[in-house]
Structures are given as C-alpha cells and as structure tokens.
Amino acid sequence: MAILNTVSQLSQAVNQKRDNTQLGKVVLVGAGPGDPDLLTVKALRLIQQADVIVYDRLVSNDIVALAPASTELVFVGKRAGHHCVPQEGINQILVEQALKGKLVIRLKGGDPFIFGRGGEELEALLPYQIPFEVVPGITAAAGCAAYAGIPLTHRDHAQSVQFITGHLKSEKEQIDWASLARSNHTLVFYMGLTQSGEIRRRLEANGMAPSTPVAIVERGTSKQQRVLPCSLETLDIIAEHAQSPALIIIGSVTQLTHKLSWFTPEKSAHDEYSEMRVTPIAKVAKVAKVASL
C-alpha cells in the first residue's frame, strides 16, 4: 500500500510539474575505477554543476570531494549482502529530486552500463518522462587491469575477453561455464570474492586447468591497490585475504603483471594534483575553458 501511495504521489507531482515548471534532469555519470585523474572532462564538469549527487560506495572520497559545497550529497552505498538503500529506493530518490527541477547526477563507480544497474534506473524514469543522459566511465576491468600491468587481450595469450558478474539477480539464472572455460580467453569477474570457491569449482568442472594463472586486483587504481597473483586451484584461499572492491582476472595474461606492472600505489599520480581537491571550482573552470576552444 505504501508503494502504491508513493507512485500515486509521484504521478501527481509529474502532472503538477508539467503545469508549472520544467522537469529536472538525471545524468548517469561513470566515475571510473577510483583514481580521480581517470574522470572524463564531461564527468568532472557535471559533478561541478550538480544540484544533487546520488553516489555509492565505489565512488572514491577524492571524487566526491570535487563537488561544490552547495551540492546535496546523497549516499546510497552498497556492499556484498548489504544495501544502505534498496534499488527501488534509489529509483525513487532520482525521480523525486528530478521532479523538483534539479540536475541530479547519479554517480557510479566504473561505467553506468556495465554491472551498474544504469539501465534499470533509467527505466524507472520513463513513466515520469524525466529527461536523462549517460556519461560513460572507464569500467573497472579496463582501469584496474591497466594499473596492474595486465593487458586483457594479447596476441600471444588471449584473443577475447569476457566480463562476468559474481552476483546474479536470482538463483535461477545460470552462467554458461563451459563457454567460459575455453582457452585463449580472459575472464574478469566483478563482485566475485565471496563466490570465488564456486567460480573455481565450476571452471575446473568444465575443463579449465587448475594451474591456470589468476590475479585478484584489490582497490584498483587507488593508493591502496594490491595485486594478488595465484592459480585457479588456490583462488578461494587467496580470496580470503582480499578485500572488496576487487576484481578476479583469470587467464595467462595475468602472468604479465610481473614485468608490465608500472603503478606504485604509494606514489599515486593523483598526489601531484592535491590542489584540485582544495580549489576544484578554479580547476574545473580552466578545464571547461580548454574544452570549449
């Protein structure tokens, strides 16, 4: 009954908005894997223009700090098994804020359309005819692998790459494990730490060698990044010592981290730009000026 009442109230608000003022707008913005230097120029500009920013746990504090003091920040963080705000509640926040005529930035870690539920959130806006945009971000697989010195494809190792979520919407949904276990292929599991044992068992059962190289990239692109190399047969053991957020990368390309690793977490490039966090508006003004040329 409460949900029905909320829907009715929102519908009335939509009709009133059409009669009085212009609707606001929702923009899904990809914040990338964590390092603020990996934000797109457009993402940075929109963060500076936002009336409201709705963000989750995967958005780093340094990125949130780029918002002006006048911006309303709404935290809707999630972690495995725990939801600060359920998805339906997040959808409702986006609708309510947009109906107030505000520019609402839905700030998401990585890319909004890669395991970010971006499509679901946009679908929730459709009944209210709320305008929206999508700003892509560097997905965690690309960003974290690059910072770990792991090329996801390589002519001598892998001719294809596949991104897989460690969490399915329901237990009835199934992954085609046989197709994942083939050779010359890189697998990247998002949100897979708690399912690492099941991932190992399923891949081995479908023919993947227990000795297959694996790397767990923990807190990728941040100053706390760790790369934990292992093999498929020891995946769940090593995963017990890793912390979320983390990616599981499976395939021979992970062996290249030993010679292609370039990022030293203690000396993050972002340290050189600490001034941006102190006076973000001035910095953004310079970026916007260059972008407009």
Side-chain angles (χ1 to χ4, degrees):
M1 180 64 70
I3 295 177
L4 291 176
N5 290 337
T6 299
V7 171
S8 177
Q9 291 170 359
L10 289 175
S11 297
Q12 293 175 7
V14 170
N15 293 330
Q16 184 177 1
K17 267 291 176 186
R18 288 171 183 159
D19 293 337
N20 298 329
T21 59
Q22 185 177 3
L23 289 172
K25 187 175 190 178
V26 174
V27 185
L28 301 187
V29 176
D35 186 343
D37 291 338
L38 298 180
L39 281 172
T40 65
V41 172
K42 187 171 185 178
L44 185 57
R45 174 170 57 81
L46 285 166
I47 289 171
Q48 287 291 322
Q49 295 175 345
D51 296 313
V52 181
I53 292 179
V54 181
Y55 68 103
D56 56 43
R57 188 178 67 93
L58 295 179
V59 179
S60 69
N61 291 334
D62 286 341
I63 291 177
V64 175
L66 295 173
S70 59
T71 301
E72 180 181 355
L73 302 177
V74 181
F75 178 69
V76 291
K78 305 173 186 176
R79 59 186 175 89
H82 300 276
H83 292 249
C84 176
V85 180
Q87 187 60 55
E88 294 77 8
I90 295 173
N91 297 346
Q92 183 176 328
I93 291 171
L94 299 179
V95 171
E96 290 179 343
Q97 294 296 325
L99 291 179
K100 295 177 182 179
K102 296 182 178 181
L103 174 59
V104 184
I105 302 303
R106 176 63 171 108
L107 197 57
K108 292 175 170 288
D111 181 272
F113 277 4
I114 299 183
F115 305 129
R117 301 189 180 184
E120 296 176 38
E121 293 178 0
L122 292 187
E123 287 179 318
L125 305 177
L126 296 179
Y128 308 99
Q129 299 182 23
I130 295 172
F132 58 81
E133 289 185 22
V134 181
V135 178
I138 296 177
T139 189
C144 297
Y147 271 51
I150 300 173
L152 294 178
T153 62
H154 189 292
R155 288 193 298 172
D156 296 332
H157 295 271
Q159 285 69 53
S160 61
V161 59
Q162 191 163 350
F163 302 160
I164 310 102
T165 176
H167 295 290
L168 298 176
K169 190 173 183 181
S170 69
E171 294 182 358
K172 296 181 180 180
E173 298 181 14
Q174 297 295 325
I175 293 176
D176 185 358
W177 293 100
S179 69
L180 298 184
R182 67 181 187 270
S183 59
N184 301 321
H185 188 56
T186 302
L187 305 178
V188 183
F189 284 89
Y190 287 65
M191 303 165 287
L193 283 184
T194 59
Q195 300 296 322
S196 59
E198 181 69 8
I199 291 170
R200 174 186 60 78
R201 286 188 291 271
R202 292 283 191 170
L203 291 174
E204 288 182 345
N206 282 275
M208 183 174 284
S211 60
T212 300
V214 177
I216 298 175
V217 184
E218 175 187 289
R219 301 178 184 180
T221 79
S222 76
K223 289 181 285 188
Q224 293 78 41
Q225 174 178 298
R226 286 201 305 165
V227 180
L228 306 176
C230 60
S231 62
L232 182 61
E233 61 187 341
T234 60
L235 171 59
D236 41 334
I237 298 174
I238 300 301
E240 293 179 357
H241 302 282
Q243 296 183 4
S244 180
L247 289 176
I248 298 173
I249 305 176
I250 301 176
S252 62
V253 291
T254 61
Q255 295 175 304
L256 297 174
T257 186
H258 299 295
K259 59 182 179 180
L260 300 184
S261 179
W262 58 272
F263 176 62
T264 305
E266 297 79 18
K267 298 179 182 179
S268 171
H270 184 60
D271 291 343
E272 301 175 7
Y273 301 98
S274 59
E275 183 184 352
M276 179 180 288
R277 297 198 293 269
V278 178
T279 57
I281 295 178
K283 290 289 183 181
V284 170
K286 293 180 180 179
V287 172
K289 183 177 180 180
V290 171
S292 65
L293 295 178

